[in-house]
Each structure stands twice: as C-alpha cells, then as structure tokens.
Amino acid sequence: MFNNKKFVPPLLRKPTAAPDGEPPAKKSRVEYPTASQPAGARTLKLAATRKPLLLVRGDTTAAETLAASTTVSTEGYYNVLWRKKTTKKHKTFDGDGVLIVTAGYAVLQDTTGKDLGRTMMKVLPTVGDLVSISGKDVEIDSMLLKADYLAGRPFLRAAAAIETPAASFQAVSATGFFGAKAAFKTPLLGSTVLVNTHGKEPTPRHDPTAEGALVMMRPLAVPAGKKIVDVVVDPYLTQHLRPHQREGVKFLYEAVMGMKQFEGQGAILADEMGLGKTLQTIALLWTLLKQNPVHGEQPVVKKALIVCPVTLINNWRKEFKKWLGKERIGVFVADSKANIRDFTHGRVYSMMIIGYEKLQKVQAELRKTHIDIVIADEGHRLKTEKNKSAQAIRGLNTKRRVILSGTPLQNDLHEFYIMVDFVNPGLLESYATFRKEFENPIVKSRQPGVGSKDIEKGKARGAELARLTKMFVLRRTAEILAAYLPPKTEYVVFCRPSPKQVKVYKAILENPAFEGAYRSPDTSLLLITMLKKLCNSPGLLADKPGKETNETIKTLLSAVNPKLLESRSGSHSGKFRVLDRMLITLFKTTDEKIVLVSNYTSTLDLLQTLLSSRGLSFLRLDGKTPSGRRQELVDKFNRTDSKTAFAFLLSAKSGGAGINLIGASRLVLFDLDWNPATDAQAMARIHRDGQKKQVKIYRMLTTGCFDEKIYQRQLTKTGLADSVMDQKSTVGSFTMDELRDLFTLDTETECQTHDLLACTCEGKGYIADALEAGDGQSGGEDNDGEEPDEIVYPGLMKASEVDVDKIEKDRMAALKKIPKGAQLSSLMEYSHVLARSLMKEKKEGVDEEEEFDEISIEDELLTKVVRDGEGKEVSFIFQKTF
C-alpha cells in the first residue's frame, strides 16, 4: 500500500493500466440527447482521451482559465457528474453537480443547491478524477471559476442565457388564437390596424423616419416566407412621452415579445411613484393592439387585461380617456353591473380593467377566451404563493405578464422571488434552490459578526441576482423628475413625548404582565400596536364605546392611571402639539395646503377633531369612503383654494397608488408603517406631474420611543431593496441584531437614531458632501494617485462601544478622498440638526436682526414652529433636499 514515496489517498487515485499492459478502463459519461435521439434519453459516452481543460466563459480568456487550472491553491471549484454507488456493468450518472473543496473538506451539491455529501479532501482533484463522497461516485468534469461559483451561476439556467444571443423570435399569429383570420372583424378601418403596403415592400403604419419617432426593436429572425416591418409607437402618444418613458416602452416591448436574453415573456416595471408607469403601459398596449413586426399578421394582442386594486379602476379608465380618447379604443370596466360576456364574446372591447377581488369570481368565464397579455398594477400584492388573484391570473395561461410596482421588494427576497416567478415562471428555479443559493447567503452577509467568506459570497450572489433580474426588471428612481418638477425636501422631525405619554409608556413596560406579552408571538403583536398608538396619543388606548377591549390590553393598562387616557383630543401627545403649531402657522402665513396621512382611522379621527377645533376646512378619504366618491374628493381638493379645503386627511393603506394630490405642497406622515413601501407611496402623493410649488414632506417620530424603532427597521428593509433593485452600496445600513431593544424607552436622548449612527456632527447641520467640498478636494484621486477609499460607518451600536476619536479620524480621512457625488449610507446623506441650536442667541456685538445662530434649516415654517415651542417640543431634525 505504501510502495510509492508519496502517498495518494484512495479517493484521489487515478486509474492505473491493466496488468497485461492495456490502457486503463474508460469511464461512463452522461451524454445529453441529440436531435436524433429521443427526448430524455441518456446514453454512455466513452472518453477516449483526457485533454487539458480550456473551459472558457464569455468574459474569461483562455489564458486566465489555464492559469486558474495550474495555480497551486487550497481551494477548488468543479463541475462534476455524480451517481449513487452501483454494481451494474454499464454505469450511467444520475445528474450534474458542483464540488467545492476548501479548508480540507469537499462538499458535493446538485444543480438545485441541495447538499449531497461531504468528506475530507486534503489534495485538490484534477479533471477526469473519480472520487467517492458519501456513498456517491463523483467524476470531475471541468473546473469552475471561483467567481462563477460565488455568483451562483451553476444553480441557475438563466446565468448561461444572459451570455448567449437572444432566442429566435417567433411571431404569434392571431389565427392560433381565434381560428381563421376572417373570424375577427375590427370595428375600425383595416388600414388603421395593420401596416399599409405600397408596392412589394411593406410600409410601417407610422413613419419610422419622422422626427421624434419611437421605433421598436426588430426581430432577430424572420419567419419563413414573411417580411419584417418596423413597429412604430403612435405619434399621438409619442409626443407626450418623456425620455425615460420612451426607454420604458421599448424595454417592455422587447421583454413581452421575447426579444430579451432569457426564456420568458414577462417584465416588471419597477419605476418609483410619479414616473408615469400608467402612460408607458398604455403606449405598450396600444402598440401591441394595432401592430405586428411580421408583415401580413394580425396584431400581436387582441385581448388585454389590466388587473388593479378596485380603488384604481376609475383612475385607469380616466387615463385611457386622457391619452387615447373614447373613439380609438373600447375599454371594458368590470364593475358590479358589467356582463363579462360583453368582453369575452364581443368584438367592441379589446381592453378590460378589473379589480383583483372581482377577477377571482369571473376567472372561469375569462378562461373561455384567450387573453394575450395581463398587466398587474400594484403587483406587489401578488407576493405570496397562495395569493388567489395570482392563481387566477396563472389559470388564464397567458405568457405575457407585466407587473407594475413602485416597490417590488418590500420586505424580503422571498416576496421578490414570487413576483419574478409570476412574470417568468422557472427563471429563478424553485424557491428551495433560490432560498439556499441566493436569499440565505445575501441575508447572512448583512448580519453582524459574519465572516469575510460569507460577506464575499453574499455580495457576489446579490450582484448576480441584480444582473439577472436587470434583463426584465426596469427600475428608475424619482431623481429623474428633478428636471420636470420643483424640488422636494424631506424632514424627519423627532418630537419629544409629553409627560403623560412617558407615564403611560413606563407603566406598560413596568407591568409584570409585560414580560409574558413580549415573549408570546400572539400578544407581542398587540403590544406593538399599543405602543404605536401610544406614540400618536395616549387617548387612543382608552376604551371605545361599543367595542370590547382585549383582555391582554386590559391587563397591560391596569396599572395606568385612567385619567391619563381620558382625553381623546390629542393634546397630550408631543407629535400633536408640534402639528397643531404647524397647521396654525401654515394657514395664517401662507396660502398652501397640506395632506395629513396616518395608518389608523382612530388617529385620523383625532386629526379631524384638531382641524375642526381650529376652524380649518378639510376633506377625508379612508377605507369607509365609497369608491365612487374617491376621485371626486381628490379633484375637489386639487381645484379649490386653502379656504375651501385646507387639509386632506388620508388613510395610508386605503389611498391607493394612483391618487394625485398636487393641490397640496406639504405632507405630514403622522405615523410610520413597518413596510417602508407604504410610507413611500403616501409621501409620493404630492410630488407628481402638475405640481408647481416646492414640496416639503414631514415624517413625525416620537423621540426615544417605538416610532424610532420602526424608522430604524424601515432603513434595514430599504437597504436590502436598494442593494438588489438599485444596486446601491449598503454601507452603514442597520442590522437585525441592533434592533433587539424594540420595547425600551429612552427619555434622555435628543435622537436615539443619531446616537446609534455614531455620527460626530454634533447636530450642526452639515453633511459629508459639504465637508468634502470645504476641504478643497477636486475629486477622483488624492495627491498620491490612489483610488478613493470607501467611507465606512459603524452602523448602530451602543454609545459606550463607540471610539469617537477613531471614528472621526477615519471619517475625515476618508471624506478627503471621496469624489463628488459618491453614495453614502442613507442617513448620512441628510443634514443633522439639533433643534435647540435653532433658537435665538443674543451675541455680543451683533445687531438684533443677526441674532440667529449660523445653524439653520431651509423651511422657515418648521424653524418658527421649533422656536415657538422654545425647543422643548422638537428635539432633532433630519433634512434632505431631492
């Protein structure tokens, strides 16, 4: 056994020649079916000679690959073939897999990411070796680049598809949907539906050479006996499209026509609110309804379906009328009085708008006709596997599916996977594979204390996921609107809790029943709701007439003095006191109007009481508002002046996504939701097309209380969404471990979020970009020509753990090397202002009109509110102008 000087482990021995001098036995290989073999067949392939491996990917040179195969290393990655141990004479392999050898161990995985075995392996194998791992024979087929493994490409079919030419385009003929072409008769003239023909060459319906013409991509392959004609978006719509909207229409067209480098005909338009997703969709549908790139064929789409929340049905109907008029297209609205047969069997309507709930009831009827494309507005509603609306759409067997959502990634990657799988089924493999190979590594890499290898793997998987989804997900941010809309400034206003709020808060936390409620999954949700309402006003916790209070809530409030809960006016709330000053000042000093948003109707009741007591006019839209009146209220608010309708009370979740409240230039988000997408939608109500005034958004938080914890948690979710959707850096984003103290009260802090961020600005109102400019750096490189360092903040940590001197030294050193426009962590893009620094200060030798401190904020209204409250009601302010 030890005849050789160097011992080779049995698992890595290469086959030796037979005793009679014959060549070594050749191993069986898997050969996939060829065109002449039946589908699914597996045959034996004899490997005559092993050749040096030169497996080259599209972005890797042969030299790099050869170097990777010859470099001495302690780790290796391989594509392999595996099979269970067998005594059969003719052996075949069970499947493909991946072998990872690192730190003296080898791990075998199949192509779904499932672990098949693990064993010690001290020496790296080479191509052609046959090794044994956990009762399986494994043949090393080829080397795998480490970068490819870290990116997870072996586990996704789409990883290879992105580097290959787009699949040949196959035009869809209308005859396959409706039988003979003569069976369909359009209510419009034939020349307005199909292309014109002058002579032998087909002529596009619209002139592709006209100024401003929007011409779609041509198919890469021409069907036999057919000619290709340019598809040009109707100039009637093109004249209204902004540059980013033109890009969006082209992107959607190429995706649903199968011209992208992936197998599927779905897309997600993930533009932020206000960028015109509705107009882009209408332009796409109108083009598909009237044209086909294959000359002589019927239009690509005959029947289109738009599914949306019921609150947005009228908005869609108005948008079609606005952009196309009544005479160009028949739009069927599936309301309670409509007969679905008018759409499925009639020839007048080619477009149907229906609510998600209604769709579930009529899905059987819709299956009787062929729906060529489905548009799912607010598609993040389809974020669970068991969603009945999603199942109903899947049941229509429509391949072309488009999701419209300004927030496709709201909470976690599981929801994002479901949306991607909805538009392009199977593209990201099964969820089990996606979770193991993408979701878990990405989430793990963002946790505190994680190792460098996990961070490297998580970043690579996140980058690969962004690269793949970029083929069919189009995401643009509201920064595009800067050229078309007035500027928007966002303020995060930290309001001190009132003495009564503090007393109630302490009484709940000190209650012996609190510990049990905190640890129980059921009662912890009640506790969270209690503290959220307490941050708004103690009066919201009082018993309501005719409504029975939960026993757990009664127990937790048993130690609270009933007098502290008597007032339902909101006067005992820090946020209400600040808002009261703001409303009065705004009404008296300007002609501007304001939108007040809350997640609770009970809070809207208190806000309504506040407005009434001050004699301020208002309109209100919440879950109880009839759908037929909603648009009427919005239109009235936008048309009238501040004396007729000064404020608009809006329920965050019942407001829908299409509501445009440009009649107001200020918006107050009175309380926060766990889901940052809900708040983002609410804050986008007033910064939309048609807005003429500078917009100011106020997010109100109660200092040191549960409000702040929700805000911190929102930032972790936003960081995850940015990293996947916008491919932004997540430096300084908060972690799960740093949010364990949800149920605590800090009455000493000016701003707990700023404390935990470990920023040393002292609330003086500057931001990093301003510091960089002040240092006189010209950007790019420093004097030594070195690349600029990335600025890293410690994130959330206990104040006792912060080495302020070291942080400031490192921070200032990094700032000097950061080029202009570099992305910092989200909160470091705001200016941080300590509220008491805004107070008047009498300085020696300074005139009366120059008494103010140099520190200031842009909003004179908010400055006056802080000063009128003598700096006791507002503790801290974050400010950012977009």
Side-chain angles (χ1 to χ4, degrees):
M1 179 176 178
F2 296 92
N3 292 334
N4 298 329
K5 293 182 180 180
K6 182 178 180 180
F7 172 68
V8 180
L11 292 180
L12 298 180
R13 288 179 183 168
K14 296 183 179 181
T16 57
D20 57 0
E22 295 179 359
K26 298 169 182 177
K27 296 184 287 295
S28 300
R29 301 287 304 280
V30 173
E31 180 179 357
Y32 291 98
T34 62
S36 61
Q37 295 171 329
R42 286 183 180 269
T43 63
L44 297 180
K45 177 182 178 182
L46 299 181
T49 306
R50 295 292 180 191
K51 297 182 179 180
L53 174 68
L54 284 178
L55 176 64
V56 183
R57 284 181 62 252
D59 56 354
T60 307
T61 65
E64 289 173 335
T65 306
L66 184 59
S69 65
T70 58
T71 301
V72 178
S73 175
T74 58
E75 61 180 10
Y77 305 87
Y78 308 90
N79 294 305
V80 300
L81 302 167
W82 65 271
R83 62 168 173 252
K84 295 180 181 178
K85 292 282 188 181
T86 178
T87 58
K88 293 181 180 180
K89 182 178 180 180
H90 300 291
K91 300 179 178 65
T92 59
F93 285 95
D94 295 333
D96 298 322
V98 177
L99 182 67
I100 306 100
V101 183
T102 180
Y105 285 90
V107 178
L108 175 65
Q109 293 180 300
D110 64 13
T111 53
T112 68
K114 180 181 178 181
D115 290 340
L116 300 179
R118 185 173 185 267
T119 189
M120 291 184 64
M121 188 171 287
K122 301 298 184 182
V123 181
L124 294 181
T126 59
V127 175
D129 284 350
L130 186 67
V131 299
S132 179
I133 298 177
S134 300
K136 297 175 181 64
D137 289 331
V138 180
E139 180 180 302
I140 308 300
D141 183 55
S142 61
M143 294 188 68
L144 175 65
L145 293 177
K146 180 179 179 180
D148 286 350
Y149 168 73
L150 290 177
R153 290 173 185 146
F155 308 105
L156 291 181
R157 295 190 302 268
I162 194 172
E163 294 175 345
T164 59
S168 298
F169 171 73
Q170 296 180 354
V172 180
S173 172
T175 58
F177 300 156
F178 296 89
K181 295 181 182 178
F184 178 83
K185 184 177 180 181
T186 175
L188 301 179
L189 295 176
S191 61
T192 67
V193 178
L194 301 178
V195 296
N196 301 313
T197 302
H198 300 292
K200 296 182 179 180
E201 292 299 322
T203 303
R205 181 166 178 249
H206 305 291
D207 185 6
T209 63
E211 183 179 356
L214 181 56
V215 184
M216 299 293 100
M217 177 181 177
R218 282 194 163 205
L220 298 180
V222 181
K226 297 289 185 179
K227 292 185 178 181
I228 299 299
V229 65
D230 282 324
V231 172
V232 185
V233 178
D234 194 333
Y236 187 81
L237 289 175
T238 306
Q239 61 179 327
H240 301 292
L241 295 176
R242 290 172 175 169
H244 75 275
Q245 294 169 336
R246 294 167 64 95
E247 176 190 351
V249 175
K250 293 183 68 174
F251 181 91
L252 293 175
Y253 177 84
E254 293 168 15
V256 300
M257 294 296 285
M259 297 179 180
K260 294 286 187 178
Q261 298 178 22
F262 66 91
E263 186 178 350
Q265 292 177 280
I268 299 177
L269 183 56
D271 287 348
E272 287 189 348
M273 277 85 47
L275 295 183
K277 293 189 290 292
T278 302
L279 176 56
Q280 294 174 68
T281 304
I282 292 175
L284 170 72
L285 292 175
W286 181 242
T287 302
L288 297 176
L289 283 165
K290 300 302 177 184
Q291 301 182 60
N292 193 318
V294 181
H295 177 56
E297 294 291 340
Q298 295 281 341
V300 175
V301 168
K302 291 292 188 63
K303 296 283 187 181
L305 182 67
I306 294 177
V307 191
C308 64
V310 65
T311 55
L312 299 182
I313 289 179
N314 285 332
N315 183 71
W316 272 101
R317 176 164 45 187
K318 288 182 61 177
E319 289 295 304
F320 270 103
K321 181 181 178 181
K322 174 182 178 181
W323 300 113
L324 291 175
K326 290 184 177 180
E327 71 284 354
R328 288 181 175 80
I329 187 172
V331 178
F332 180 85
V333 177
D335 53 25
S336 57
K337 301 178 182 179
N339 187 342
I340 299 299
R341 287 180 59 85
D342 292 342
F343 173 75
T344 58
H345 292 77
R347 299 179 180 178
V348 175
Y349 300 107
S350 55
M351 181 75 57
M352 180 166 80
I353 305 171
I354 190 171
Y356 281 105
E357 293 74 16
K358 180 74 171 180
L359 174 66
Q360 299 171 27
K361 299 177 182 179
V362 301
Q363 56 180 306
E365 186 72 19
L366 287 176
R367 290 196 190 105
K368 297 177 182 179
T369 189
H370 191 97
I371 305 297
D372 303 311
I373 187 170
V374 175
I375 308 294
D377 192 13
E378 294 301 294
H380 49 264
R381 293 172 55 121
L382 313 174
K383 60 187 179 183
T384 61
E385 297 95 334
K386 298 181 180 179
N387 185 281
K388 293 182 179 180
S389 297
Q391 293 174 358
I393 295 175
R394 290 179 187 268
L396 300 178
N397 197 29
T398 302
K399 292 184 178 180
R400 293 188 178 95
R401 301 173 187 167
V402 177
I403 279 180
L404 308 180
S405 175
T407 52
L409 204 164
Q410 294 192 344
N411 292 300
D412 53 44
L413 289 173
H414 181 203
E415 295 178 0
F416 181 65
Y417 168 84
I418 293 173
M419 293 178 62
V420 170
D421 194 63
F422 173 79
V423 294
N424 291 307
L427 190 63
L428 295 182
E429 306 297 336
S430 67
Y431 177 62
T433 298
F434 177 81
R435 179 181 57 195
K436 187 176 189 304
E437 298 302 332
F438 284 88
E439 182 177 1
N440 290 347
I442 291 172
V443 173
K444 185 177 181 180
S445 68
R446 297 170 56 82
Q447 299 302 314
V450 68
S452 58
K453 288 189 176 180
D454 289 323
I455 293 176
E456 181 184 21
K457 182 178 180 180
K459 287 184 176 180
R461 295 289 162 93
E464 180 68 6
L465 180 60
R467 184 179 77 100
L468 293 177
T469 55
K470 191 177 181 180
M471 292 187 290
F472 54 89
V473 180
L474 183 61
R475 170 76 168 177
R476 279 83 59 89
T477 65
E479 295 174 359
I480 293 176
L481 294 175
Y484 309 102
L485 295 178
K488 176 184 72 172
T489 304
E490 179 184 325
Y491 298 93
V492 184
V493 184
F494 294 84
C495 307
R496 298 184 191 279
S498 69
K500 287 192 175 182
Q501 277 180 298
V502 173
K503 289 181 181 179
V504 176
Y505 214 115
K506 288 182 176 180
I508 293 175
L509 299 185
E510 295 170 0
N511 192 312
F514 172 79
E515 187 69 19
Y518 162 64
R519 296 185 180 277
S520 169
D522 296 329
T523 53
S524 62
L525 295 176
L526 292 173
L527 184 57
I528 286 173
T529 303
M530 283 182 61
L531 296 183
K532 286 177 68 177
K533 289 186 175 181
L534 177 56
C535 289
N536 286 354
S537 174
L540 295 176
L541 302 182
D543 289 334
K544 294 183 179 180
K547 186 175 182 179
E548 188 174 344
T549 305
N550 182 278
E551 289 300 323
T552 301
I553 295 179
K554 287 183 178 179
T555 303
L556 290 170
L557 293 177
S558 60
V560 178
N561 186 338
K563 293 184 179 180
L564 298 177
L565 307 178
E566 287 179 354
S567 174
R568 293 187 55 81
S569 66
S571 59
H572 300 307
S573 161
K575 288 198 290 187
F576 264 95
R577 291 176 179 178
V578 174
L579 179 62
D580 188 16
R581 292 185 186 277
M582 185 180 295
L583 293 175
I584 295 174
T585 305
L586 181 66
F587 184 77
K588 290 182 177 179
T589 60
T590 73
D591 61 352
E592 297 181 62
K593 298 196 288 185
I594 191 168
V595 176
L596 306 179
V597 184
S598 174
N599 286 283
Y600 299 102
T601 54
S602 56
T603 300
L604 290 179
D605 292 340
L606 292 185
L607 293 173
Q608 181 172 322
T609 301
L610 174 63
L611 290 167
S612 298
S613 66
R614 297 298 186 184
L616 302 175
S617 57
F618 63 89
L619 298 173
R620 175 169 173 169
L621 191 158
D622 58 26
K624 296 181 181 179
T625 306
S627 57
R629 284 208 63 216
R630 298 188 176 205
Q631 192 60 45
E632 176 186 337
L633 291 173
V634 171
D635 293 340
K636 180 179 179 180
F637 181 75
N638 289 335
R639 288 195 302 261
T640 56
D641 58 19
S642 59
K643 294 182 179 180
T644 305
F646 168 69
F648 194 98
L649 298 175
L650 178 66
S651 173
K653 295 181 179 179
S654 66
I659 291 181
N660 185 332
L661 295 171
I662 57 173
S665 56
R666 299 181 189 252
L667 182 145
V668 172
L669 190 63
F670 195 76
D671 47 57
L672 279 62
D673 188 82
W674 283 108
N675 188 346
T678 301
D679 291 351
Q681 285 186 344
M683 292 190 294
R685 296 301 110 227
I686 65 175
H687 197 238
R688 303 181 72 108
D689 277 337
Q691 180 60 260
K692 303 300 182 184
K693 298 181 179 180
Q694 183 173 351
V695 168
K696 294 180 175 62
I697 308 291
Y698 307 92
R699 306 178 72 167
M700 304 190 76
L701 310 179
T702 306
T703 305
C705 298
F706 203 81
D707 269 355
E708 272 205 82
K709 309 300 171 58
I710 297 177
Y711 183 57
Q712 294 161 9
R713 181 69 184 99
Q714 278 193 351
L715 292 171
T716 67
K717 293 184 177 183
T718 304
L720 177 62
D722 286 346
S723 65
V724 176
M725 296 307 306
D726 301 332
Q727 301 182 54
K728 293 180 180 178
S729 169
T730 55
V731 174
S733 55
F734 304 134
T735 64
M736 293 291 292
D737 261 2
E738 296 160 340
L739 299 173
R740 287 178 177 173
D741 62 337
L742 281 177
F743 302 101
T744 58
L745 173 65
D746 187 349
T747 58
E748 303 299 324
T749 182
E750 301 283 356
C751 176
Q752 186 189 68
T753 304
H754 190 256
D755 295 342
L756 297 177
L757 190 60
C759 174
T760 56
C761 72
E762 301 179 354
K764 294 182 178 179
Y766 61 73
I767 58 178
D769 286 339
L771 280 178
E772 184 273 330
D775 287 335
Q777 301 296 319
S778 58
E781 300 179 352
D782 61 11
N783 295 333
D784 297 329
E786 298 176 356
E787 290 295 324
D789 295 336
E790 181 180 42
I791 185 167
V792 179
Y793 295 94
L796 291 176
M797 60 176 63
K798 294 181 180 178
S800 60
E801 299 175 350
V802 177
D803 186 345
V804 176
D805 293 337
K806 184 178 185 302
I807 290 173
E808 182 63 3
K809 181 179 178 181
D810 294 344
R811 179 175 180 271
M812 295 301 295
L815 282 173
K816 292 181 180 180
K817 297 183 179 181
I818 292 179
K820 291 184 178 180
Q823 293 292 331
L824 305 180
S825 58
S826 57
L827 283 183
M828 299 308 294
E829 294 174 351
Y830 288 70
S831 58
H832 309 156
V833 180
L834 184 63
R836 65 168 179 263
S837 67
L838 299 176
M839 300 302 296
K840 295 181 180 180
E841 294 183 2
K842 181 63 178 178
K843 300 179 182 179
E844 295 182 5
V846 179
D847 295 336
E848 184 71 21
E849 63 270 14
E850 299 179 357
E851 289 182 0
F852 298 109
D853 198 334
E854 294 179 357
I855 299 174
S856 64
I857 56 177
E858 296 177 9
D859 186 12
E860 295 181 0
L861 171 69
L862 185 55
T863 301
K864 184 173 183 354
V865 168
V866 172
R867 289 171 175 163
D868 288 348
E870 299 180 351
K872 297 178 181 179
E873 296 173 345
V874 177
S875 63
F876 213 89
I877 299 168
F878 288 169
Q879 172 187 269
K880 180 180 178 181
T881 299
F882 297 83

